[in-house]
Amino acid sequence: MSAKLTLLPDAEVLLEITADYGSNPMLMDEPAALEALADPIRLRQHESLVPLSSLAAARTSRHDNWEDYAPAAYLPSETEGEAHSLITSAWRWHSTEPEVVFEMQKGKLHDVLLWTHDAAHPEAGPRWMLLLAGDRSLPISIQQTPWWRGWMAAAGAGGLILLGAYFVSRNFTLRQRTL
């Protein structure tokens, strides 16, 4: 399975996990793929493992193209001509932590290729790691918006408004004196 982690602004996280049941001997049919996607990996928060379903409701879609769901280097060239039957479950949530760590529970049969896509830096290539049963990912930093950035934007806008009002009133005063 492939897990695409997209880091969005303001600590928003999008995790899309895709299972191929069309040409995968480990997933014989769609029900087996849906069962594998029900609880594929968990988020580690402090010392507990949190199921993805407790973070957000999964959005499920069906498609037949790997292009957006796996890094190009991951796909072997011999599968390009094969028909794929893919199911993707997507979870989207705001992270309360400055970084995320994913972990696969022991006893899981399906490996997960976890790779990141940074929406703020799309030119950067994907970073990826293979998670086997019992593995834990490296910490992945989340794009936190500093608390002061909102205040600075508001102060800047307020300053521009005051500056504009000053010049308008000064221009009006100068025109009255010259008449």
Side-chain angles (χ1 to χ4, degrees):
M1 292 193 295
S2 174
K4 178 182 177 183
L5 178 66
T6 304
L7 305 174
L8 302 165
D10 299 327
E12 193 169 12
V13 178
L14 172 62
L15 181 64
E16 300 168 291
I17 302 181
T18 302
D20 181 0
Y21 66 92
S23 58
N24 184 348
M26 297 289 289
L27 298 170
M28 296 306 237
D29 54 14
E30 186 174 334
L34 289 170
E35 182 181 336
L37 288 171
D39 189 19
I41 60 176
R42 294 195 173 183
L43 180 68
R44 177 163 281 286
Q45 287 185 332
H46 307 289
E47 291 304 314
S48 63
L49 292 178
V50 177
L52 298 175
S53 60
S54 68
L55 299 170
R59 222 178 2 118
T60 303
S61 61
R62 290 160 179 76
H63 47 96
D64 60 4
N65 187 0
W66 271 113
E67 185 175 310
D68 293 331
Y69 299 97
Y74 171 70
L75 296 175
S77 59
E78 64 266 8
T79 66
E80 289 178 12
E82 292 181 21
H84 296 280
S85 297
L86 307 174
I87 295 180
T88 298
S89 288
W91 295 267
R92 188 176 194 148
W93 72 94
H94 286 277
S95 177
T96 57
E97 303 293 324
E99 56 190 20
V100 292
V101 175
F102 294 99
E103 188 169 323
M104 285 195 56
Q105 294 176 287
K106 292 181 180 179
K108 289 287 185 178
L109 296 176
H110 307 288
D111 305 337
V112 174
L113 175 75
L114 176 65
W115 62 289
T116 59
H117 171 71
D118 191 343
H121 302 94
E123 70 281 353
R127 294 177 301 165
W128 57 275
M129 61 193 86
L130 185 62
L131 298 177
L132 307 173
D135 283 350
R136 182 184 300 178
S137 75
L138 297 172
I140 302 166
S141 294
I142 300 297
Q143 298 176 20
Q144 298 283 347
T145 301
W147 64 269
W148 52 265
R149 187 175 290 166
W151 287 100
M152 292 298 288
L160 286 174
I161 290 170
L162 287 174
L163 191 60
Y166 169 75
F167 282 117
V168 167
S169 69
R170 183 174 176 181
N171 190 20
F172 182 72
T173 305
L174 285 175
R175 282 190 181 169
Q176 284 183 341
R177 279 193 251 168
T178 58
L179 290 176

